[in-house]
Amino acid sequence: MADADAAADQNSGGGGDDDETRVDHETRVDHATRVDHLMDGLRAFGANYTEFTRRFASWLGLHSTDAAALVEILYAEDQGAPLSPARLSERVSLSSGATAILLKRLEQAGHIVRTRESTDRRVVTLRSSPEIRPRAEAFFGPYAERMAEAMSAYSPQEIQRFEDFIGRLRSTMDALLADEYRDGGPTA
């Protein structure tokens, strides 16, 4: 009798193992599709951010690498943790020599100043010049306003989950770059 009930359930689409397998498969496919869409969105956001930096460079008449460095200096200042040349070098993936040349260009253009704020007078701190800050705020102001508006739609708990998610992606990428890709490509 139990075999007849199971056969009836399968024929009617109710409760059989095949249904559970189909649901599991659909869930996995739906999850994989969502992950693909999410990764596509992250790539597109990264490309758009790169384009913002490129346009900032063009607007200031700078090379895109110089503008990316200037954005890093401005952002670090805004976060209350100004950069040293070594830290900037890490952030923009340049050698110390290339970073020194870049900083000289930015300083000569009047976009940055180097200060010695530490008790260790050998430590150089990078600051934006008083002339560049209003220009940067004018350029990035609409971006900041729109991003704040977009994020205001999410609860603090959701923002925390996004922060955790992005943090995990970033640490994964940092580890890949430091390990498998340290010499420019994947290690065998």
Side-chain angles (χ1 to χ4, degrees):
M1 182 80 154
D3 290 329
D5 288 341
D9 278 347
Q10 282 184 336
N11 290 337
S12 67
D17 286 341
D18 288 343
D19 287 342
E20 288 175 19
T21 301
R22 182 181 49 77
V23 169
D24 286 346
H25 175 74
E26 288 174 3
T27 300
R28 283 193 309 274
V29 168
D30 185 50
H31 179 74
T33 300
R34 287 179 182 272
V35 167
D36 285 346
H37 288 165
L38 179 59
M39 293 304 292
D40 187 51
L42 288 169
R43 279 189 294 276
F45 181 83
N48 284 345
Y49 188 82
T50 299
E51 179 62 13
F52 263 95
T53 303
R54 188 197 66 74
R55 291 185 188 191
F56 182 57
S58 177
W59 192 63
L60 292 176
L62 296 174
H63 184 276
S64 60
T65 303
D66 292 6
L70 182 56
V71 167
E72 289 294 333
I73 291 166
L74 288 158
Y75 180 75
E77 271 186 309
D78 288 346
Q79 298 302 305
L83 299 175
S84 67
R87 186 73 179 115
L88 176 66
S89 179
E90 292 171 6
R91 291 233 182 138
V92 295
S93 299
L94 291 176
S95 68
S96 60
T99 301
I101 293 166
L102 176 148
L103 290 172
K104 185 175 180 179
R105 285 193 305 266
L106 289 175
E107 197 169 36
Q108 287 175 340
H111 298 319
I112 68 158
V113 293
R114 299 181 217 209
T115 64
R116 297 196 187 275
E117 302 171 14
S118 173
T119 55
D120 181 348
R121 302 304 290 163
R122 295 172 296 174
V123 176
V124 173
T125 301
L126 303 173
R127 296 273 182 190
S128 60
S129 70
E131 295 79 27
I132 198 62
R133 175 140 312 263
R135 295 185 73 193
E137 289 171 353
F139 187 88
F140 285 103
Y143 169 86
E145 288 172 16
R146 293 276 185 92
M147 289 296 124
E149 181 182 319
M151 288 188 262
S152 72
Y154 298 94
S155 72
Q157 296 80 13
E158 290 172 310
I159 295 294
Q160 179 64 53
R161 291 202 60 189
F162 297 151
E163 187 178 353
D164 294 345
F165 171 73
I166 294 296
R168 180 169 284 191
L169 290 183
R170 183 177 178 184
S171 64
T172 299
M173 185 67 84
D174 287 346
L176 278 167
L177 291 171
D179 297 333
E180 287 95 332
Y181 292 83
R182 73 180 163 274
D183 296 324
T187 55

